[in-house]
């Protein structure tokens, strides 16, 4: 992952950009207070235009790649805060490009809605990495493990999208969940990035959620736990992913300071079996006793929604409710009116959707 180099602040009043880089080769090149005209001379021509546009729309969040005049890459991430500041974090160039290997099509994150089973509304999204040219309905997973910058890029893009959805929908409590691997947890600069993104985008505590499986702790569980705790302190909430299959143990459940539990799709798919149903009932009860909310993953059939509600699941996610959407589609889905006064654009609540008002009916 690209390191966090330092912070930037844009003063709307006097139109100056101030960089505070702690150390390293970028300190010389960036530090200080700049007018945009002066800073433009330190950049290639197109970068200045991109930066101007990004600053103008900073209340939607900002993630802007800049090429310095000497060819080095940096990325600004952040956005306008509710306090009236526009600020964020400076990332080293690796976030913009993979470190080695052949050029690859661009990252195009998609967002799968997470439905509140009580209200039928979308309360959040899981961010999933896709690459340009990939069919969103074909579930190809990208070159996850060999891309060190992926987590940083996904975090930046997801926070940017979330800040936009929150502002446009007037729902500051919406959340986004980003998957992290054990390699991601190896990199201590992740905590600075998470903290800068939460501050830069003005996200409330727990709006950024990080999904971990026990795989994240396989190599060094003490280090992984220390990182997880630091991420919690930075304002992110932790979600225990894929619980009930593969890498998931009660020890990890005991140790991880998670707020939420995602029950693996393979168990949800077998909810019709008595033994599985009993296990699900007890897993939900256990989650609740540990203070966690519980999400059913991989819900492919809306017919199971009443069962999930009866078992006490708070949230559900899966192709049967909605496929992953790009950020604009996600916003449109959020804006579907809900509740008893829903107009023609609102989904009726009694047509097999099990009362899910923002559900995907176009399968
Ligand atoms: O491990 P994790 O839970 O993060 O996996 C998420 C993956 O599951 C994504 O690739 C997503 O596309 C896929 N997914 C989401 N919903 C469903 C579903 O209903 N069925 C199946 N088979 N896969 C799903
Ligand atoms: Mn996940």
């Amino acid at each position: 992952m690209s390191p966090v180099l330092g912070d930037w602040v844009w003063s709307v009043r006097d139109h100056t950009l101030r960089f505070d880089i702690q150390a390293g080769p970028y300190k010389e090149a960036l530090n200080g207070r700049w007018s945009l005209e002066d800073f433009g001379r330190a950049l290639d021509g197109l970068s200045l235009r991109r930066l101007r546009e990004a600053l103008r729309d900073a209340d939607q969040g900002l993630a802007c790649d800049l090429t310095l005049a000497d060819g080095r890459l940096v990325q600004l991430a952040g956005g306008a805060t509710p306090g009236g500041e526009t600020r964020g974090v400076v990332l080293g160039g690796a976030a913009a490009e993979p470190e080695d290997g052949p050029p690859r099509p661009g990252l195009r994150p998609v967002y799968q809605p997470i439905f509140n089973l009580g209200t039928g509304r979308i309360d959040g999204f899981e961010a999933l990495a896709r690459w340009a040219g990939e069919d969103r309905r074909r579930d190809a997973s990208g070159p996850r493990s060999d891309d060190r910058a992926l987590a940083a890029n996904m975090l930046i893009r997801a926070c940017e999208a979330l800040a936009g959805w929150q502002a446009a929908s007037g729902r500051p409590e919406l959340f986004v969940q980003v998957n992290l691997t054990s390699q991601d947890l190896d990199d201590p600069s992740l905590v600075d990035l998470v903290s800068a993104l939460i501050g830069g985008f003005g996200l409330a505590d727990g709006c950024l959620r990080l999904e971990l499986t026990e795989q994240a702790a396989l190599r060094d569980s003490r280090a992984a736990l220390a990182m997880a705790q630091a991420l919690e302190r930075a304002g992110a909430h932790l979600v225990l992913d894929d619980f009930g299959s593969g890498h998931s143990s009660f020890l990890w459940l005991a140790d991880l300071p998670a707020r939420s539990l995602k029950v693996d799709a393979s168990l949800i798919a077998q909810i019709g079996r008595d033994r599985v149903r009993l296990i699900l009932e007890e897993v939900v009860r256990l989650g609740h006793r540990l203070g966690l909310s519980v999400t059913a993953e991989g819900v492919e059939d809306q017919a199971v929604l009443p069962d999930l509600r009866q078992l006490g699941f708070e949230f559900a996610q899966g192709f049967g409710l909605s496929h992953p959407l790009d950020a604009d589609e996600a916003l449109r889905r959020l804006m579907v009116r809900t509740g008893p006064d829903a107009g023609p654009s609102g989904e009726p609540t009694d047509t097999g959707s099990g009362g899910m008002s923002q559900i995907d009916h176009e399968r």
Side-chain angles (χ1 to χ4, degrees), residues 112 126 128 130 139 179 241-242 297-300 318-319:
Q112 188 173 35
E126 177 175 0
L128 298 164
R130 298 288 186 274
D139 187 31
N179 292 283
D241 202 5
D242 297 342
E297 286 189 304
V299 175
E300 295 191 345
F319 294 162

Side-chain angles (χ1 to χ4, degrees), residues 336-347:
V336 173
R337 291 176 61 202
T338 62
D341 66 339
S345 65
E347 298 291 351

Side-chain angles (χ1 to χ4, degrees), residues 114-117 119-123 171 173 338 357-358:
I114 298 173
F115 288 85
N116 181 317
L117 283 166
T119 64
R121 289 210 300 182
I122 295 170
D123 277 3
R171 296 183 58 196
E173 78 289 358
T338 62
S357 47
Q358 292 177 336

Side-chain angles (χ1 to χ4, degrees), residues 214 240 243 246-254:
E214 190 174 8
L240 185 41
F243 188 75
H247 296 306
S248 64
S249 76
F250 288 110
L251 259 183
W252 181 234
L253 180 61

